Amino acid sequence: MIDRRSFIQTAVLIAAGSASGSQLLGCGSELVIPCLGPAPAPTPLPGMTYIRASEIGCALDCKLETGRNKYTGGHATDDGPRINAAMAGATADNPITLIIDGSALISGLFLPAGGGHWSIAGLGCGTGFFVKSGINNDGIHNGPPGAAVPFDPGPPAPARGMDVSLSNFTVNGNQGDGHNGDSTTGTARGTDDVIFFCSINLMNLDNLRIENVVVVNSPAYHFRLSNVGNVVVTGCVMQSHGLGTDGLHFDGPANDIAISNCSFATGDDSIALNCPEGYSGNISRVAVTNCSFNSWSLMRLYTTTGSPIKDQIDSVSVSQCTGTLMEAAFLIGLSSGSIPQSVASLTISDCTLTAPTILGIAENFGNIALKNVTFVPSQSGVVWTAPVVNRISAFLRPSPLYGGGACIASSLSFENCRMVRESDVEVAAVVLENGATIANVEFNGFAVVDTGPHSPVPALLTIGSGSVGQLVLDSIDSSHMTGVITATGFSNIGSAAGKGVLATGWEFPDAVMADGVPYISANSGLPSIKIAGVVQPYTS
């Protein structure tokens, strides 16, 4: 599944690095690690064993920015074995919290696997871990060193442990060039596209909380979470450049995920919901709130690769977020062939996003609702691949990278959304190609806002090959748009309705109009209405 990234060539690497890498390194300077401030030691809980790293013989002599000894500039001490030994006894009857009260070099933390019942709590800035060069493994994961092999074992998913938390520390994943960092395999992110080396890789867990954790310079995924449920991720910062550096990467199955107040500057997907990867399975009930993004995409959602595995994603919401995305805000699918309504429901609300498209579509979906979304079209860094032909920016369009397949969808709705044009870039609300169909498209508050004297948008909808079953226009500000669709495109619309049709001032063919809806007839040029299928003059 992961080898889909090999499809993206050098142009993507350059674009991704320029977007996020500049935030990490200045010319002639070392890595700058975001500071989330000091944090108190955790309040003792009855029955919990607390272990301070400084009290179990850890040297804590590593500088988190460089991995060198912070006192001598030479080699730092590997504290990984001492921490692993101290945490090995964690069980439901003996839960253990490691207090990382300094900065440790680690050759990987391989913590209790199936049962869970362990935590790592830092003291804020300056506390955490630097992943030792050449370990060719994850920085932190549960299970023995080979727990993540194979990376995508497929079904069935094993039983889950529970109760793991990470808080208030930093992980420097020590991304190198494939020869001088965590990975010395020749590829910076792992063994090419077979196994990725993640900064934090947790599997088979329920009740997982990750709070105020900073991950920088990750070889591949900042967090890979596979077969997990009841997950809370809040206040975290993820900053790395390069292909494969997803921020929060969820493999199926996964459920009940809450992500809030996080900052993503990644060279790949900020958040990935990838059903076919890992053990494979459905992903459900995901809520993202008040996060910022500067990445390849805000979220990737896919349920199949065209293989026999065909899963489903449902009940995803993203709200109060801002971001600049190079390929798309949301990449829906990699290929056609998914089950009906494979991405069953997605709601995006109160967000301002700069991207080539908000929704890059490649597989079937059920209901997508956009509410109070501001879209700033930008094609900076986007990579287009055949057979995608037109390059129109739109709220919804075929995926620039994976848009060659057909998709079938139930509904797409816009409520108080706007498209802000900062140039004369070609735009539309919806672009359909490849025979894609959407049963119902509804606009209840939509406008194009121009920051300069730009030419009018030619059409609200652009349909090269595809169709809309019913188009509902309840409220549209048509002042910067010429029409709903090109004259020849009305054959791709089953019917048009809505209380705002007449107010647009646009002309509609009589044949496309639903009964009882006032409109301006393209046949007569006059206000009209159809009663029992018969066109009559309309007077308000």
Side-chain angles (χ1 to χ4, degrees):
M1 319 305 179
I2 299 168
D3 65 5
R4 61 97 179 162
R5 291 173 178 81
S6 65
F7 181 63
I8 309 172
Q9 302 300 319
T10 304
V12 181
L13 292 169
I14 295 171
S18 64
S20 60
S22 61
Q23 300 183 27
L24 305 179
L25 293 172
C27 182
S29 64
E30 66 181 27
L31 184 74
V32 176
I33 297 177
C35 176
L36 298 184
T43 302
L45 297 175
M48 177 71 69
T49 298
Y50 294 88
I51 298 172
R52 280 186 174 263
S54 61
E55 295 175 354
I56 59 172
C58 291
L60 302 178
D61 59 3
C62 177
K63 187 173 183 179
L64 293 179
E65 290 80 1
T66 64
R68 307 295 295 178
N69 189 301
K70 60 186 176 182
Y71 305 113
T72 68
H75 294 292
T77 306
D78 180 4
D79 290 324
R82 288 185 182 273
I83 295 173
N84 288 334
M87 298 292 285
T91 65
D93 295 327
N94 181 39
I96 297 175
T97 292
L98 171 73
I99 299 175
I100 180 69
D101 52 351
S103 49
L105 179 71
I106 54 170
S107 51
L109 298 186
F110 309 123
L111 304 173
H117 302 286
W118 55 266
S119 300
I120 301 175
L123 303 180
C125 297
T127 63
F129 309 97
F130 186 100
V131 180
K132 188 177 180 179
S133 294
I135 70 164
N136 296 308
N137 212 319
D138 301 322
I140 300 172
H141 75 219
N142 54 330
V149 181
F151 208 70
D152 291 310
R160 296 174 181 174
M162 62 189 306
D163 297 338
V164 167
S165 70
L166 309 174
S167 61
N168 300 309
F169 63 85
T170 294
V171 174
N172 185 332
N174 190 16
Q175 180 196 95
D177 61 7
H179 304 281
N180 60 0
D182 175 355
S183 172
T184 54
T185 66
T187 302
R189 61 186 180 270
T191 57
D192 197 27
D193 287 317
V194 179
I195 299 172
F196 281 14
F197 302 147
C198 308
S199 290
I200 298 174
N201 186 355
L202 300 178
M203 299 160 277
N204 313 320
L205 291 170
D206 274 326
N207 300 340
L208 171 62
R209 184 175 182 87
I210 303 171
E211 183 174 7
N212 298 336
V213 175
V214 175
V215 181
V216 298
N217 209 25
S218 190
Y221 309 150
H222 295 70
F223 295 87
R224 187 234 194 179
L225 306 174
S226 181
N227 185 29
V228 295
N230 300 303
V231 179
V232 174
V233 183
T234 185
C236 295
V237 176
M238 287 145 274
Q239 291 189 357
S240 302
H241 64 275
L243 199 59
T245 54
D246 292 7
L248 291 167
H249 183 106
F250 293 88
D251 291 343
N255 61 277
D256 300 286
I257 299 162
I259 302 165
S260 63
N261 304 308
C262 292
S263 174
F264 299 82
T266 69
D268 212 308
D269 309 318
S270 291
I271 300 169
L273 307 180
N274 292 357
C275 291
E277 297 184 10
Y279 297 100
S280 81
N282 296 337
I283 297 177
S284 58
R285 297 180 296 280
V286 180
V288 181
T289 306
N290 196 35
C291 295
S292 63
F293 302 88
N294 182 359
S295 304
W296 184 249
S297 77
L298 187 159
M299 181 181 288
R300 181 184 298 275
L301 309 88
Y302 81 92
T303 66
T304 186
T305 59
S307 71
I309 295 176
K310 298 180 188 296
D311 297 310
Q312 187 176 55
I313 297 172
D314 74 84
S315 303
V316 178
S317 65
V318 177
S319 63
Q320 299 174 15
C321 293
T322 60
T324 297
L325 301 313
M326 283 182 293
E327 191 69 10
F330 296 83
L331 288 165
I332 311 294
L334 296 179
S335 62
S336 56
S338 62
I339 63 172
Q341 300 191 7
S342 59
V343 177
S345 57
L346 169 63
T347 300
I348 308 162
S349 60
D350 302 297
C351 293
T352 299
L353 302 169
T354 299
T357 179
I358 299 297
L359 298 157
I361 301 299
E363 72 173 62
N364 301 330
F365 66 86
N367 304 309
I368 296 181
L370 300 106
K371 303 177 181 180
N372 302 313
V373 175
T374 297
F375 170 38
V376 182
S378 169
Q379 297 199 5
S380 175
V382 65
V383 176
W384 303 93
T385 60
V388 174
V389 178
N390 82 60
R391 300 187 175 186
I392 301 171
S393 287
F395 266 93
L396 178 145
R397 60 152 294 122
S399 172
L401 269 175
Y402 310 107
C407 71
I408 299 172
S410 298
S411 73
L412 173 69
S413 64
F414 298 83
E415 181 179 334
N416 297 324
C417 295
R418 62 180 193 155
M419 186 181 301
V420 178
R421 292 196 299 171
E422 296 178 341
S423 66
D424 236 353
V425 62
E426 192 174 6
V427 297
V430 176
V431 174
L432 295 183
E433 298 285 357
N434 311 313
T437 64
I438 305 178
N440 188 76
V441 177
E442 181 176 354
F443 293 87
N444 186 13
F446 186 88
V448 172
V449 178
D450 288 335
T451 61
H454 309 316
S455 56
V457 173
L460 181 70
L461 311 178
T462 298
I463 303 179
S465 169
S467 64
V468 170
Q470 183 176 59
L471 175 66
V472 179
L473 304 180
D474 280 333
S475 176
I476 288 275
D477 180 349
S478 61
S479 57
H480 294 277
M481 291 178 278
T482 300
V484 65
I485 198 168
T486 59
T488 57
F490 278 106
S491 61
N492 301 108
I493 298 176
S495 66
K499 59 187 179 183
V501 171
L502 182 64
T504 65
W506 297 333
E507 295 186 347
F508 291 77
D510 295 335
V512 81
M513 290 306 305
D515 274 5
V517 179
Y519 68 101
I520 297 177
S521 169
N523 301 68
S524 66
L526 299 174
S528 304
I529 191 168
K530 289 170 70 174
I531 305 296
V534 178
V535 179
Q536 301 180 13
Y538 173 78
T539 56
S540 57

